[in-house]
């Protein structure tokens, strides 16, 4: 079975992890410092703070931005649960905004629509999600935030997008418009740490808050201590944090993987280019926009399929492709309609037409660097055969 995503691990990665295991440190050692420095350099940011998951990165970023009871975080409804849940962890509320039905992205227009209520004054953070690896239009979103909720912190969820490039040529993770950018290093993402995440920022105060929150809220900085005359064993906690530390082995793996990121993304773009050319003429199927080929990081290649016109359900199509060895997935069922949020806020599908239009047609097909040319051809052939067979069956039935 060719899955929709898979890590790419080589002997250099294995040796990097083995070297960390042979060292004197298993946590809070030199590997984390090296990874943070390399990641910050790649993203052209001043700081990077690594942690043990993309969810932890979001939680840390929201906390550093001052999100808490009485505040609101605005997130797109087309995202993974963690983008919204991290706000709930802090006692805040979530305001969902719709997305563009073709890209699945928050836009300045969908954000403005979500902010045209009395909650605008309580918005503490806005979290655009670079869904599938395609960067949002951050300049337009930033302008909307400054106009409608200028006190809010702009925090990009770039879990899908390391290696992507903004329209101005800057790498995802740089801070042209935002205060913080979060990443995930789950195995299906662009670089793997086993599990891991990070936040980039240019602000020294935010970096300090992120680092403290990652480690129980502890500080040993002399200028921050109320009892500075205590010995070297002494530390203080001025606000609670969490244990979101990432092990040395994970950072060693992530550092090794980061060295190959450009190659990984180039291969993803090569595969996407094949799909864009070879799947463009299938009736009832629309593809991601070709003009983002060299800017998207292509975490996902998401088809939009008119299953009604095809005469087959999405489950039937996925089962048919699985029978030919092709794994697929759906990204995402709108978070606003998850039972917890639907019950909390009374959301209905009609409130998010763009997200529902995207979800009802979405089908993610395999794209990952370790795919061989033969596997790419197999995916293309299987999709063409499956969809052609469905169209023939529908014509006969008609």
């Amino acid at each position: 079975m060719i899955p929709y995503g898979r890590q790419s691990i080589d002997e250099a990665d294995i040796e990097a992890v083995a070297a960390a295991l042979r060292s004197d440190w298993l946590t809070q050692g030199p590997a984390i410092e090296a990874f943070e420095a390399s990641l910050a350099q790649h993203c052209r940011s001043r700081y990077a703070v690594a942690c043990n998951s993309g969810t932890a990165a979001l939680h840390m970023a929201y906390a550093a931005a001052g999100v808490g009871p009485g505040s609101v975080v605005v997130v797109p409804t087309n995202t993974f649960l963690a983008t919204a849940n991290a706000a709930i962890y802090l006692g805040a509320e979530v305001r969902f905004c719709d997305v563009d039905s073709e890209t699945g992205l928050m836009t300045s227009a969908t954000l403005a629509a979500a902010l045209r209520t009395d909650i605008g004054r309580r918005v503490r953070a806005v979290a655009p999600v670079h869904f599938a690896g395609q960067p949002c239009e951050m300049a337009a979103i930033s302008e909307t935030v400054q106009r409608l909720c200028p006190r809010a912190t702009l925090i990009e969820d770039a879990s899908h997008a390391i290696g992507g490039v903004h329209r101005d040529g800057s790498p995802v993770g740089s801070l042209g418009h935002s205060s913080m950018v979060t990443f995930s290093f789950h195995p299906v993402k662009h670089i793997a740490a086993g599990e891991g995440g990070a936040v980039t920022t240019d602000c020294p105060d935010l970096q300090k808050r992120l680092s403290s929150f990652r480690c129980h809220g502890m500080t040993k900085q002399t200028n921050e201590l109320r009892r500075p005359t205590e010995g070297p064993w002494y530390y203080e906690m001025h606000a609670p944090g969490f244990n979101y530390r990432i092990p040395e082995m994970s950072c060693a793996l992530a550092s090794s993987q980061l060295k190959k990121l450009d190659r990984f993304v180039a291969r993803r773009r090569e595969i996407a280019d094949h799909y864009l050319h070879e799947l463009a003429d299938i009736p009832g199927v629309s593809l991601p926009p070709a003009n983002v080929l060299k800017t998207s990081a292509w975490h996902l290649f998401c088809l939009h399929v008119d299953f009604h016109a095809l005469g087959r359900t999405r489950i039937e199509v996925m089962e048919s492709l699985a029978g030919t060895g092709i794994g697929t997935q759906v990204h995402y069922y709108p978070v606003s309609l998850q039972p917890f949020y639907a019950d909390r806020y009374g959301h209905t599908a009609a409130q998010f037409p763009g997200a529902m239009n995207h979800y009802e047609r979405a089908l993610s097909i395999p794209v990952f660097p370790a795919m061989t040319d033969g596997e790419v051809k197999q995916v293309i052939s299987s999709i063409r055969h499956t969809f052609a067979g469905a169209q023939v069956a529908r014509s006969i039935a008609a």
Side-chain angles (χ1 to χ4, degrees), residues 280-286 303-307 309-310 361 387 391:
D281 62 342
I282 302 177
V285 177
S286 59
L303 305 178
H304 278 151
V305 181
D306 186 341
F307 293 101
L310 193 65
R361 298 178 297 143
F387 282 62
Q391 289 154 3

Side-chain angles (χ1 to χ4, degrees), residues 35 50-55 57 183-187 189 191-198 246 250:
F35 175 59
C51 56
N52 60 15
S53 72
T55 302
F183 294 99
S184 169
F185 307 125
H186 181 276
K189 301 301 195 325
I191 66 173
E195 287 278 6
I246 182 171
S250 293

Side-chain angles (χ1 to χ4, degrees), residues 80-251:
F80 184 59
L81 301 170
T83 316
N85 288 353
I88 299 295
Y89 301 160
L90 292 162
E93 299 297 334
V94 177
R95 176 72 169 180
F96 292 100
C97 79
D98 204 1
V99 298
D100 179 88
S101 62
E102 296 305 313
T103 64
L105 299 176
M106 174 194 287
T107 68
S108 58
T110 63
L111 175 60
L115 291 173
R116 289 193 186 108
T117 70
D118 63 356
I119 61 98
R121 291 170 297 171
R122 296 186 289 128
V123 174
R124 190 67 180 180
V126 175
V129 175
H130 301 317
F131 171 72
Q134 181 180 341
C136 297
E137 292 288 350
M138 291 308 303
I141 288 173
S142 177
E143 187 278 329
T144 300
V145 170
Q146 288 299 313
R147 178 165 48 88
L148 297 179
C149 50
R151 293 166 55 188
T153 300
L154 194 52
I155 301 169
E156 300 170 45
D157 182 342
S159 295
H160 290 188
I162 189 169
V165 182
H166 291 290
R167 181 170 290 187
D168 64 3
S170 62
V172 170
S174 57
L175 286 299
H177 300 287
S178 307
S179 294
M180 289 173 279
V181 182
T182 71
F183 294 99
S184 169
F185 307 125
H186 181 276
V188 298
K189 301 301 195 325
H190 296 74
I191 66 173
E195 287 278 6
V199 185
T200 56
T201 185
D202 285 343
C203 174
D205 183 54
L206 287 174
Q207 189 269 347
K208 184 185 298 184
R209 293 186 211 171
L210 291 163
S211 298
S212 176
F213 194 81
R214 173 182 66 185
C215 191
H216 304 282
M218 294 167 53
T219 182
K220 299 186 80 169
Q221 297 295 318
T222 303
N223 63 330
E224 297 177 0
L225 299 179
R226 295 183 183 179
R227 301 182 63 182
T229 57
E230 292 284 349
W233 63 85
Y234 185 71
Y235 57 82
E236 290 181 354
M237 185 193 78
H238 294 242
F242 285 73
N243 180 1
Y244 281 158
R245 298 188 297 254
I246 182 171
E248 290 285 286
M249 299 78 74
S250 293
C251 285

Side-chain angles (χ1 to χ4, degrees), residues 258-338:
L258 186 59
K259 295 174 184 177
K260 300 185 279 280
L261 178 61
D262 290 345
R263 173 160 56 87
F264 286 169
V265 173
R267 178 56 177 162
R268 287 176 179 272
R269 288 177 179 157
E270 189 175 58
I271 294 167
D273 195 28
H274 282 297
Y275 288 160
L276 289 169
H277 282 91
E278 300 296 331
L279 301 176
D281 62 342
I282 302 177
V285 177
S286 59
L287 307 179
N291 64 354
V292 302
L293 178 64
K294 294 184 179 180
T295 56
S296 176
W298 295 102
H299 167 58
L300 302 172
F301 193 98
C302 184
L303 305 178
H304 278 151
V305 181
D306 186 341
F307 293 101
H308 177 74
L310 193 65
R312 299 182 72 181
T313 68
R314 179 160 47 192
I315 291 174
E316 289 172 337
V317 169
M318 294 176 76
E319 288 177 345
S320 179
L321 287 169
T324 66
I326 308 302
T328 54
Q329 188 53 274
V330 177
H331 300 90
Y332 291 101
Y333 183 74
V335 180
S336 53
L337 301 183
Q338 291 289 345

